[in-house]
Amino acid sequence: FGQALLQVADVAVLGSLESQAWIAFHDLITNHALHAQSFQGYGSSFIKKMGFAPDAYVQVAMQLATYRLFGEQVGTYEATQVRCFLHGRTESH
């Protein structure tokens, strides 16, 4: 496919498109920020004592955070939460 494209496309045009793609990619990744916080209020022992699985607790917290961020429920998925269902671990099949 690559060779066929080179035969019909001008190499200068392809070079220009590649440059535009790199600029768009650079603009996209430099427009993001990550701020990590460490929560020290309680840990997994407390969550387990309350009768919850820590991974499920975190998943619900992520769902709540995305709801508050976007104002609607958005799709989230954590593979470990579906392991109790028949064929739930899709990544292992």
Side-chain angles (χ1 to χ4, degrees):
F1 177 74
Q3 292 297 332
L5 180 61
L6 287 175
Q7 290 175 357
V8 297
D10 184 359
V11 174
V13 171
L14 290 176
S16 175
L17 291 172
E18 180 183 19
S19 295
Q20 291 174 31
W22 277 111
I23 291 169
F25 174 71
H26 179 267
D27 290 346
L28 179 68
I29 63 171
T30 57
N31 194 29
H32 286 80
L34 174 65
H35 302 280
Q37 289 185 286
S38 177
F39 179 76
Q40 302 296 322
Y42 54 86
S44 62
S45 295
F46 175 77
I47 296 169
K48 290 176 186 176
K49 185 178 177 183
M50 294 292 103
F52 301 104
D55 55 343
Y57 186 88
V58 170
Q59 180 66 20
V60 170
M62 291 170 39
Q63 290 176 359
L64 177 61
T66 56
Y67 178 79
R68 289 182 176 175
L69 179 64
F70 299 113
E72 63 181 341
Q73 186 63 49
V74 297
T76 57
Y77 173 76
E78 184 182 20
T80 59
Q81 292 308 300
V82 296
R83 70 173 176 253
C84 57
F85 299 102
L86 181 63
H87 306 300
R89 296 296 296 260
T90 57
E91 74 279 7
S92 65
H93 295 283

